[in-house]
Structures are given as structure tokens and as C-alpha cells.
Amino acid sequence: MDDDRSGSDRELVQAVLAGTPGAFARLVEKYQRLVWHLVNRMVQHPEDTRELAQEVFLRVHQRLGQFRFDSALGTWIGQIAFSIAARHLQRKRLPLVDDADDDREALINRVGDGFDLETACSDAELAGHLGLALDALPPLQRMLVTLFHIDELSIGEIARIVDLPTGTIKSHLYRARQKLREALEPIVGGAHASRFA
């Protein structure tokens, strides 16, 4: 955990708990992007995402006194966001993962499979196709890809947020990139095929 970040988070938490005016607004501002990405990638509905993000920060406010800095504040908030989004999907009877994706593949312990998401996003047309391909992924995989490739969280941080073993996270990321590659290769053709090699 970065000492500057943990120090500023500790001060922010203490300010919120002390009732310092504007402190909770600063906390929300600092972590709203993480919460929005995590929830929106799972539920894919802007109005539901707004409501669920509000629920996340309400829960954060209610439980902040219980936070003990056993993890980064962002990780703790991410855990709450994941839990609320997962329950929302369960209430709507939507699966977190494809039935075809089972734990047999959790033994895949590598992430580097040659798919370069950042490079794929640099081309505007390809980025549009990538967005559609991401939206077609199961909710858990969409969210994991977003946290890893866009929010640049480590596998360890993601594992703590979603409470899954790191091998399972790597497996889901690997399968998600396989699906993205399969969806994008026919679209981009030979000119960009090396990006997915």
C-alpha cells in the first residue's frame, strides 16, 4: 500500500468520522470513478448504476467507522460496490459468469496472452468495436477487464475487491481476452491481427 495514499486516506476517513464539512464529498469525489466503473460494467444500465452507486456511498458512510485499514480504502469501497452490484444482478436473476465458464479453467495462471487492450483502444474505430465486445462479456468478466486494464488495479487488489483467489481472477481475465480476440479478429482483419496474437 502506498504510504502517501494510505496517509491521505486515513486523514480523509478521520475527517469524515469527525463530521468535518465537505469531507465525505471529497471521499465520494476521490472514489466515484472506481465505483461507477465497477458497478456500470456489471449492470450495464446507467439509471441502475446511478442508484447503486448512491447505495454504495450510503453504505460506505454508514460503515466507515468499521473500516480498520486492513486494506486500501479504495479496495474496501470496491468490495462494497461489487457486493451491491452482484446482489442487484442476483435479484434480477442475471448470472455473473457464463455457464460455460466454470472453475476447471481456474488453473490457468497466466494473464499475458498477447492481447494488448491499450493498443486496441488507441484506434477509434477499433475502440468502438471493442466497446461492443466488452459489453457482450458476462458481468464479472466485464468488470474484471475494466478494473485490470482501465483502472489499472493489480490482480491482488482485484482479488480482494471481489473476494476471489488470484488464480480465478487470472482465469477470468484470460477467458475475457480470448472472447474479445474472437469477437474482434473478424472485424479488424489482417491489418490489426498482430494485436491479438
Side-chain angles (χ1 to χ4, degrees):
M1 185 184 333
D2 181 60
D3 288 339
D4 291 339
R5 180 192 234 176
S6 66
S8 68
D9 281 346
R10 190 173 296 274
E11 291 169 9
L12 185 56
V13 168
Q14 289 170 348
V16 171
L17 293 175
T20 304
F24 189 69
R26 287 194 311 274
L27 183 145
V28 170
E29 183 178 326
K30 184 173 183 177
Y31 291 104
Q32 66 187 355
R33 181 176 182 263
L34 171 69
V35 169
W36 180 268
H37 274 191
L38 203 152
V39 173
N40 192 51
R41 276 294 168 200
M42 288 184 69
V43 303
Q44 288 189 305
H45 190 273
E47 290 176 24
D48 287 348
T49 299
R50 260 189 294 284
E51 288 178 23
L52 293 170
Q54 289 175 358
E55 187 178 336
V56 169
F57 285 112
L58 177 62
R59 182 84 47 84
V60 166
H61 191 268
Q62 292 169 339
R63 296 190 179 172
L64 196 58
Q66 299 170 8
F67 179 60
R68 298 288 175 247
F69 288 93
D70 296 333
S71 65
L73 180 60
T75 301
W76 182 74
I77 292 171
Q79 290 169 337
I80 293 171
F82 175 75
S83 174
I84 287 173
R87 274 200 306 279
H88 173 79
L89 292 174
Q90 289 169 347
R91 282 192 305 268
K92 293 199 172 241
R93 300 183 192 274
L94 297 170
L96 279 178
V97 294
D98 280 343
D99 290 336
D101 292 339
D102 60 24
D103 287 345
R104 288 188 315 254
E105 295 183 65
L107 298 174
I108 300 170
N109 284 321
R110 63 187 182 88
V111 174
D113 59 9
F115 178 68
D116 187 349
L117 187 65
E118 184 178 336
T119 303
C121 287
S122 66
D123 179 311
E125 182 181 350
L126 186 56
H129 291 300
L130 178 61
L132 294 173
L134 272 170
D135 289 345
L137 290 174
L140 180 62
Q141 289 180 358
R142 272 194 311 269
M143 187 262 311
L144 294 176
V145 167
T146 300
L147 291 177
F148 187 73
H149 289 286
I150 297 173
D151 292 323
E152 298 181 347
L153 296 182
S154 71
I155 298 289
E157 288 173 300
I158 296 169
R160 286 188 293 277
I161 287 172
V162 300
D163 195 26
L164 290 172
T166 57
T168 302
I169 301 300
K170 291 176 182 180
S171 175
H172 280 298
L173 285 170
Y174 177 81
R175 289 192 306 254
R177 281 194 300 268
Q178 290 287 99
K179 290 174 185 176
L180 292 174
R181 184 181 301 111
E182 290 167 10
L184 294 175
E185 276 183 326
I187 295 167
V188 299
H192 300 288
S194 63
R195 294 183 184 180
F196 310 103

